[in-house]
Amino acid sequence: MKLSFKKWMVLAVAAVCSMGFQSCLDNDDNDAYYLTIPNALVTVKPTGENSFFLQLDDTTTLLPVNMTSSPFGSKEVRALTNFSEVDEPSDGYSKAVHINWIDSILTKNMAPDLGLQNDSIYGTDPVEMVGDWVTIAEDGYLTLRFRTTSSYGSKHFVNLLSTNNPENPYEVEFRHNAYGNTYGEMADGLVAFKLDSLPDTEGKTVKLKLKWNSYSGEKSAEFDYCSRKSTPASASIASERATLSLE
């Protein structure tokens, strides 16, 4: 899995231009430009062999009207997409939409605790978390945009583990193994972790604490988190593409 330059550029441009859209392009180009950037982070949920829907957040569902089957087959993945709302029947979903494009991101389960082997297997290499709109806990996932050094062809193994803190069952840590390739230019990666191995919050919103090793030492952040509510049956998680060469 090589570095996807196109996807990295889409993400980078979206991050800059979302703060000042008019400063990026002239008015005549706005409509065309709008279609090139992601306007949503979603969960792609197959409901059958030839049907699927998109979960926009904890409560909003989208029915694609221009696609019948998921481009990712039976896999449930998190994805960046650009969609347009349309005035068509939504068949019980929140909105009917036209998908202009959609691209999956790396989607993983939480990793098992390997005890004394955690450092050697999962690594302790530093990253910086990027606090933007795609760094969020929703729909039972923790999606993270992170930044680290990367050279051409290098691989990065990223995982999320429970800290097994007896005082906080919702404390997790991000692990990064660069396999010794801790040099090169800074690049961004996107990854989503399914949190269903954490205790059920039973409908309550709790604080999910994320810890990671940054370039200036250990850091942490908190997210509002509520266990995923029931949705139509969908397939198991499978890893998909990412901006860096990720595992």
Side-chain angles (χ1 to χ4, degrees), residues 11-65:
L11 183 62
V13 171
V16 172
C17 294
S18 62
M19 295 182 292
F21 186 83
Q22 294 297 328
S23 66
C24 293
L25 291 175
D26 294 332
N27 289 337
D28 292 342
D29 297 324
N30 281 351
D31 290 343
Y33 171 76
Y34 174 79
L35 295 177
T36 69
I37 64 171
N39 61 7
L41 173 68
V42 298
T43 310
V44 181
K45 297 182 175 180
T47 57
E49 186 174 344
N50 294 308
S51 61
F52 75 106
F53 72 98
L54 306 179
Q55 188 85 32
L56 180 61
D57 53 37
D58 286 333
T59 59
T60 307
T61 54
L62 309 176
L63 176 67
V65 297

Side-chain angles (χ1 to χ4, degrees), residues 175-222:
R175 291 294 194 111
H176 171 219
N177 189 342
Y179 300 116
N181 297 306
T182 54
Y183 55 89
E185 297 183 356
M186 298 298 287
D188 286 12
L190 269 178
V191 59
F193 298 102
K194 194 171 186 181
L195 302 174
D196 58 347
S197 61
L198 296 179
D200 196 319
T201 67
E202 300 179 349
K204 299 178 181 178
T205 298
V206 302
K207 291 297 183 182
L208 175 72
K209 184 175 183 179
L210 171 69
K211 300 173 67 177
W212 71 94
N213 182 33
S214 79
Y215 285 91
S216 57
E218 186 176 288
K219 291 184 179 179
S220 65
E222 289 188 331

